[in-house]
Amino acid sequence: ENAVQRLNQGRDDSFKPIVQIISVRTVNKKQGAGPDRFLMVLSDGSFFIQGMVATQLNDLFFDSVLFVQIVYSLSRSIGGH
């Protein structure tokens, strides 16, 4: 499917990639500088890509909705170089 390569090319609202979450970690921030930020590494089985998760989606991690090593279909993404 080349999901990682297509994600890296930029925004495509019609593309719904299937990826596996490889790792998630909290990014260090300055104290009092806003909500936590998460860095996520995704794989399509051939390639890896990493990116920041929108802070509006933080509850997916706090409420244990998303898990590492599980395969998901992304409904929206913004990629770039």
Side-chain angles (χ1 to χ4, degrees), residues 55-70:
T55 56
Q56 298 91 327
L57 301 177
N58 281 358
D59 286 343
L60 295 176
F61 296 102
F62 294 135
D63 297 340
S64 298
V65 174
L66 293 178
F67 298 96
V68 174
Q69 303 302 325
I70 302 296

Side-chain angles (χ1 to χ4, degrees), residues 14-67:
S14 66
F15 180 53
K16 309 292 186 222
I18 296 176
V19 294
Q20 180 180 27
I21 298 177
I22 301 300
S23 69
V24 177
R25 68 179 178 90
T26 309
V27 177
N28 292 335
K29 63 174 185 154
K30 295 180 182 177
Q31 188 173 12
D36 288 333
R37 297 300 311 260
F38 291 96
L39 178 70
M40 188 163 49
V41 177
L42 305 173
S43 172
D44 64 5
S46 298
F47 298 98
F48 296 91
I49 193 170
Q50 68 179 12
M52 299 300 294
V53 178
T55 56
Q56 298 91 327
L57 301 177
N58 281 358
D59 286 343
L60 295 176
F61 296 102
F62 294 135
D63 297 340
S64 298
V65 174
L66 293 178
F67 298 96

